[in-house]
Amino acid sequence: MTGPNQQPPGGDVPPSDPTVQWWERPGTESGQPPQQADPTILRGDIGTPGPYTAPPTPHQSGANPQPYTAPPAATPYQSGANQQPYTGMPYQAGAPAQPFAAPPQYPAQQWGTPPRPPSSGNKAVWWIVGGAVALVGVLVIGLIAFAANKADETDPFGPNPSEWEGNYAFQKGKNACDLIDLTVLNQWATTRETTTHTEREPSEYGGGGSYNCDAANQDSGRNGTGAKISLEVAFKASYETESNYSRWKGYDTKTTGKDYDHGPLSGLGSEAYYAYEQRIYGSIPNDYTYVVAAHDSNISVKVKIDVDKMGSADKSAMRSAAETQVRKVLTALKK
């Protein structure tokens, strides 16, 4: 049995030539020399002068090893190529490699960060700051002017007493019953039975204030005469919509008839009125009431006298006593 590249011995082709296949070797029985073989079928070079010796191919069985020849130098970015330093420009084949240029170095700033360059934004900031300062100045000027207008007040930002103040003022520590003369009752009864009084100071933020006094004399005996006097003084308050004088007048003058009488008075404040009422009984003391009220500036004053007695009472004496006490109060409380 022969190998793939060998044929049985015979012919003119040496059996040691590895480049000639066995079918290219003519047999001894063919009777045709190798030089006359059909070149289209067999080797075309058979028949050339001289014996043919083909060079052995690398890595072929029986071939002599050839020295290794390195392939041409690889281009950049080809597998196995040497890396070229980056120069910032596209790589050109054959161009010398340029070294990498490092970014410029700035000298280190000493003692703190570099100064900030001026910008247009600073102008806007200054405009805002300037506007705020101007606004504060306007407010300060306004407050000074407001305080100057109220320089006569203890607290320029507190309540406004001008809303309730007038020609009359409440006197702290004043006893309401000291504002009138309680001895006027002695002309009807001489024995003092009761005396009461109240004083209410005005509010710091609303004004007002009042005095009230009630006194009663009573004579002894079943038919003894009794006499009473009452005083009401009210100062204007900022929250009131109607004076005390107006309310009193509306109540005291609402009833008319033969036992009632009322009308205006002059010479007491800016306005004044009187009201008279009598109740006559057959077997018990009769009841007589006389009211005088006045209003002036920021004060309302009302004095009422009641007399209980058998028989009649002097109406003019009651009126005179009431008017005198109202005038006395106005004089005592006027500024």
Side-chain angles (χ1 to χ4, degrees), residues 8 55-56 105-106 108 118 127 157 206 214 224 231 233 236 271 287 307 326:
Q105 299 294 325
Y106 297 96
W127 273 107
F157 304 102
D214 292 283
L231 169 68
V233 179
K236 181 182 178 182
E271 55 180 330
D287 187 9
V307 176
V326 170

Side-chain angles (χ1 to χ4, degrees), residues 26-335:
T28 57
E29 69 278 359
S30 62
Q32 184 180 14
Q35 295 83 355
Q36 298 179 2
D38 189 348
T40 61
I41 298 175
L42 303 178
R43 293 287 302 267
D45 57 352
I46 297 177
T48 58
Y52 170 77
T53 303
T57 59
H59 310 290
Q60 185 175 1
S61 176
N64 294 328
Q66 299 297 323
Y68 172 75
T69 303
T75 60
Y77 308 107
Q78 184 176 1
S79 177
N82 295 331
Q83 300 293 329
Q84 300 297 327
Y86 175 73
T87 61
M89 298 294 293
Y91 175 77
Q92 297 180 358
Q98 300 296 328
F100 174 73
Q105 299 294 325
Y106 297 96
Q109 180 69 28
Q110 298 181 357
W111 306 106
T113 58
R116 182 178 180 180
S119 63
S120 59
N122 292 337
K123 297 180 180 179
V125 172
W126 282 112
W127 273 107
I128 295 174
V129 173
V133 172
L135 179 59
V136 171
V138 171
L139 292 176
V140 170
I141 293 174
L143 291 175
I144 292 175
F146 179 77
N149 292 334
K150 294 180 172 290
D152 57 336
E153 299 180 11
T154 303
D155 183 5
F157 304 102
N160 184 9
S162 63
E163 296 180 356
W164 61 82
E165 286 187 342
N167 297 331
Y168 300 86
F170 181 91
Q171 298 179 11
K172 294 183 179 180
K174 189 78 171 180
N175 187 315
C177 289
D178 292 340
L179 294 174
I180 57 177
D181 183 6
L182 300 181
T183 63
V184 297
L185 297 178
N186 293 341
Q187 59 186 301
W188 297 286
T190 59
T191 305
R192 178 64 52 83
E193 188 175 45
T194 60
T195 303
T196 60
H197 63 90
T198 59
E199 298 81 22
R200 183 175 64 86
E201 295 185 7
S203 168
E204 180 182 359
Y205 294 92
S210 64
Y211 292 103
N212 293 89
C213 174
D214 292 283
N217 288 5
Q218 182 67 47
D219 287 343
S220 61
R222 178 179 178 183
N223 296 323
T225 301
K228 299 178 182 178
I229 186 171
S230 66
L231 169 68
E232 293 183 68
V233 179
F235 292 90
K236 181 182 178 182
S238 62
Y239 50 81
E240 69 179 9
T241 58
E242 184 183 16
S243 66
N244 288 62
Y245 173 84
S246 297
R247 290 192 291 270
W248 296 334
K249 184 178 180 179
Y251 177 81
D252 294 334
T253 63
K254 67 180 179 179
T255 306
T256 60
K258 68 174 184 175
D259 294 331
Y260 300 91
D261 183 23
H262 56 77
L265 289 175
S266 61
L268 287 177
S270 59
E271 55 180 330
Y273 72 90
Y274 76 91
Y276 174 76
E277 177 184 354
Q278 65 179 13
R279 296 178 182 178
I280 306 300
Y281 306 100
S283 58
I284 60 174
N286 298 322
D287 187 9
Y288 302 93
T289 303
Y290 207 100
V291 174
V292 174
H295 178 262
D296 191 32
S297 185
N298 62 322
I299 194 172
S300 298
V301 180
K302 177 180 176 179
V303 172
K304 181 173 72 169
I305 296 178
D306 291 299
V307 176
D308 297 327
K309 65 175 295 188
M310 298 297 293
S312 63
D314 187 351
K315 179 179 179 182
S316 61
M318 296 180 67
R319 174 177 177 174
S320 176
E323 287 184 7
T324 300
Q325 302 312 304
V326 170
R327 188 173 286 110
K328 181 177 175 64
V329 173
L330 291 175
T331 301
L333 298 178
K334 192 169 186 178
K335 290 181 179 179

